[in-house]
Amino acid sequence: MSQCCEGDTAMGDAIIQSRHAITSSVVAACVRERERERERNQFEKMRQRQQKAPRLGNACGQNTTPDASYHKSVWRGVEAKLHLRRANPSLFPSLQARGIRRVQILSLRRSLSYVIQGMPNIESLNLSGCYNLTDNGLGHAFVQEIPSLRVLNLSLCKQITDSSLGRIAQYLKNLEVLELGGCSNITNTGLLLIAWGLHRLKSLNLRSCRHVSDVGIGHLAGMTRSAAEGCLSLEYLTLQDCQKLTDLSLKHTSKGLTKLKVLNLSFCGGISDAGMIHLSHMGSLWSLNLRSCDNISDTGIMHLAMGTLRLQGLDVSFCDKIGDQSLAYIAQGLYQLKSLSLCSCHISDDGINRMVRQMHELRTLNIGQCVRITDKGLELIADHLTQLTGIDLYGCTKITKRGLERITQLPCLKVLNLGLWQMTESHTEKLGWPIVTVTIQVEDPHSPSAS
């Protein structure tokens, strides 16, 4: 009897190893094909630009072939990625000669002022991950107005504090994009400084700024006397993992930030269904991320559906209080959605049945880890959501080959994520699918760390 069990165990291990081998080969094939396609596209664009540059010179009767690489049309939109380790007198004149005005600093061992002085017309400065950047270093760089600078990325510059935001607000008046994700020393005072000085700001990322609270959002929205006007031109606001925020922040947002188009509230555990009432009448909002907001339930979705929203994208993945009733509300009031993410929500075939007949605009549906979905749900999706271009079925363990065959018959489908499902290359060929369109992921893509 023990020998029989040992044989079964060995056979099971062999099957698992075989499946992993198949998965690895498919993933490798996908990656290789996509890399080759990306390289071909990049080469073709560069070739076309280089062909244009000599013609411009020859039209003037000049032999410019040796200098074609300096023609600005070749370098338009290019971002220079630099390691600033030692002095290089020719570096910035060379960049300026090519018309390059976007820079990313990969490692910063010299003063930041070295960059600002060398590129006075800089438009975009990416310092993300420069852990050694301090308030003192940034203060020495920003000593006068830089009207050309539109984009500043300080993500994960963990030594930056409100002091730096004061400098930014004073000298970068034309800034439109500010990335502060992971700058955990930023407080409400810093947001007050931003509200004072950056009235043209359109995009602000405050991901994991753990000290930011409702007061800070009130400053941005111009809802406090000390904030004066506020940043009322904001269109993109990321508040992911700002744990001190409550529904009051949503009230400030709805009243003051009326131009907002994209709002990311993922992992904000302090917001609730009541806060959705404030958001439900933001007519400009077209994308809302509520991923892993534990206090959002079917009631919150009801509030959103009963308002005047014209959402195109909604993510309520990992909201474990979301069920089939939410899908009915979505079908009634949010039927114009083009992207809907419901990963790990407690939905079933019944909820799918209540939703699909109204969702004619839906292009992307993510229902990974919805373990109650069966082939019946996939058949409903295949029958009614005929415009789908992508669907995530990662971890849907109750679906079978029969349901997958129905899904792959969708006329517009380009991306199918199967995850825990094992699909071989011969299987996809049998279904008439090119292998590059099938994504198989061994690791969980829906974990909070992947967000």
Side-chain angles (χ1 to χ4, degrees):
M1 183 66 177
S2 61
Q3 292 178 350
C4 180
C5 292
E6 290 174 357
D8 291 343
T9 301
M11 182 178 295
D13 291 341
I15 292 173
I16 292 173
Q17 292 174 0
S18 174
R19 287 184 173 179
H20 279 298
I22 292 171
T23 299
S24 299
S25 65
V26 173
V27 171
C30 293
V31 171
R32 287 196 300 270
E33 180 61 28
R34 288 173 180 170
E35 288 296 330
R36 284 195 292 267
E37 182 65 24
R38 188 180 298 110
E39 290 173 359
R40 286 194 293 268
N41 292 338
Q42 290 176 345
F43 176 79
E44 181 62 22
K45 289 179 181 178
M46 184 61 72
R47 186 185 66 80
Q48 291 175 358
R49 288 180 176 177
Q50 290 176 341
Q51 285 179 342
K52 291 179 181 179
R55 286 201 296 271
L56 292 172
N58 291 336
C60 299
Q62 301 173 351
N63 181 14
T64 60
T65 302
D67 299 325
S69 62
Y70 279 88
H71 200 284
K72 293 182 179 180
S73 65
V74 176
W75 300 95
R76 186 178 296 117
V78 170
E79 180 182 65
K81 300 180 185 295
L82 308 176
H83 291 278
L84 295 183
R85 296 172 178 169
R86 57 180 180 271
N88 184 349
S90 64
L91 173 60
F92 294 116
S94 176
L95 295 178
Q96 288 186 299
R98 290 172 167 83
I100 295 176
R101 303 176 71 179
R102 302 173 65 239
V103 173
Q104 179 179 3
I105 307 301
L106 300 176
S107 60
L108 185 64
R109 298 185 183 177
R110 296 185 58 81
S111 171
L112 181 58
S113 59
Y114 175 64
V115 179
I116 302 302
Q117 293 171 6
M119 298 190 69
N121 295 321
I122 189 170
E123 292 181 352
S124 174
L125 178 59
N126 187 344
L127 295 161
S128 59
C130 290
Y131 303 108
N132 57 336
L133 180 64
T134 64
D135 290 334
N136 190 40
L138 192 143
H140 287 157
F142 296 154
V143 294
Q144 61 183 12
E145 289 192 8
I146 309 176
S148 61
L149 193 59
R150 298 290 193 275
V151 179
L152 178 61
N153 191 336
L154 296 174
S155 298
L156 297 176
C157 294
K158 294 182 177 293
Q159 297 189 60
I160 294 299
T161 71
D162 296 335
S163 175
S164 288
L165 296 189
R167 284 277 183 172
I168 291 169
Q170 182 178 1
Y171 294 121
L172 307 183
K173 298 289 188 181
N174 293 328
L175 205 63
E176 296 180 357
V177 178
L178 180 57
E179 298 282 337
L180 296 172
C183 295
S184 53
N185 289 317
I186 299 300
T187 72
N188 295 328
T189 301
L191 299 192
L192 175 60
L193 296 170
I194 290 175
W196 271 341
L198 302 181
H199 300 310
R200 298 187 180 183
L201 199 63
K202 293 183 178 180
S203 178
L204 178 61
N205 187 339
L206 297 171
R207 175 182 55 82
S208 298
C209 292
R210 59 189 179 187
H211 297 300
V212 169
S213 69
D214 299 332
V215 174
I217 304 304
H219 292 328
L220 294 177
M223 304 305 293
T224 59
R225 291 183 179 180
S226 54
E229 181 181 339
C231 298
L232 305 188
S233 295
L234 274 177
E235 297 179 359
Y236 304 87
L237 180 59
T238 296
L239 300 173
Q240 175 181 339
D241 196 30
C242 292
Q243 295 294 331
K244 289 187 176 182
L245 301 187
T246 71
D247 294 333
L248 181 57
S249 287
L250 305 189
K251 182 178 181 180
H252 292 326
T253 299
S254 64
K255 286 188 174 182
L257 303 179
T258 57
K259 296 182 180 180
L260 208 60
K261 296 179 180 178
V262 177
L263 179 59
N264 186 343
L265 296 167
S266 56
F267 299 95
C268 290
I271 65 172
S272 70
D273 292 332
M276 300 303 101
I277 299 175
H278 301 301
L279 300 183
S280 64
H281 295 288
M282 296 188 68
S284 62
L285 195 65
W286 54 264
S287 179
L288 178 60
N289 191 337
L290 299 170
R291 183 189 185 96
S292 292
C293 292
D294 297 334
N295 292 315
I296 299 299
S297 70
D298 294 335
T299 303
I301 303 303
M302 178 191 69
H303 293 321
L304 294 176
M306 292 178 63
T308 57
L309 287 174
R310 292 294 179 265
L311 284 181
Q312 296 184 25
L314 177 63
D315 189 345
V316 290
S317 298
F318 295 93
C319 295
D320 55 14
K321 297 178 182 178
I322 296 291
D324 289 336
Q325 186 59 49
S326 286
L327 300 191
Y329 292 139
I330 288 171
Q332 292 171 9
L334 300 174
Y335 48 82
Q336 69 283 347
L337 283 172
K338 293 185 177 180
S339 176
L340 178 60
S341 294
L342 298 156
C343 299
S344 197
C345 292
H346 294 292
I347 61 172
S348 67
D349 297 336
D350 180 60
I352 297 293
N353 184 43
R354 300 165 73 177
M355 178 188 71
V356 290
R357 290 172 178 79
Q358 306 298 325
M359 308 295 289
H360 305 300
E361 301 296 321
L362 201 61
R363 300 292 186 273
T364 302
L365 178 62
N366 297 324
I367 51 175
Q369 299 187 40
C370 294
V371 295
R372 298 168 64 193
I373 300 295
T374 70
D375 290 341
K376 180 182 178 182
L378 298 191
E379 290 171 2
L380 289 166
I381 291 170
D383 288 340
H384 298 283
L385 301 182
T386 56
Q387 299 301 310
L388 274 187
T389 60
I391 185 168
D392 178 8
L393 300 174
Y394 173 92
C396 294
T397 53
K398 291 187 178 180
I399 62 175
T400 70
K401 177 182 175 182
R402 180 169 65 91
L404 287 176
E405 288 176 342
R406 290 297 306 276
I407 284 295
T408 55
Q409 293 170 9
L410 283 166
C412 302
L413 197 63
K414 296 179 180 179
V415 177
L416 170 61
N417 184 17
L418 298 175
L420 297 180
W421 242 89
Q422 307 297 324
M423 179 174 275
T424 66
E425 186 171 355
S426 61
H427 191 182
T428 58
E429 290 175 352
K430 182 179 180 181
L431 293 175
W433 268 62
I435 187 65
V436 72
T437 62
V438 178
T439 302
I440 296 185
Q441 299 178 340
V442 179
E443 295 182 356
D444 183 358
H446 306 296
S447 63
S449 61
S451 301

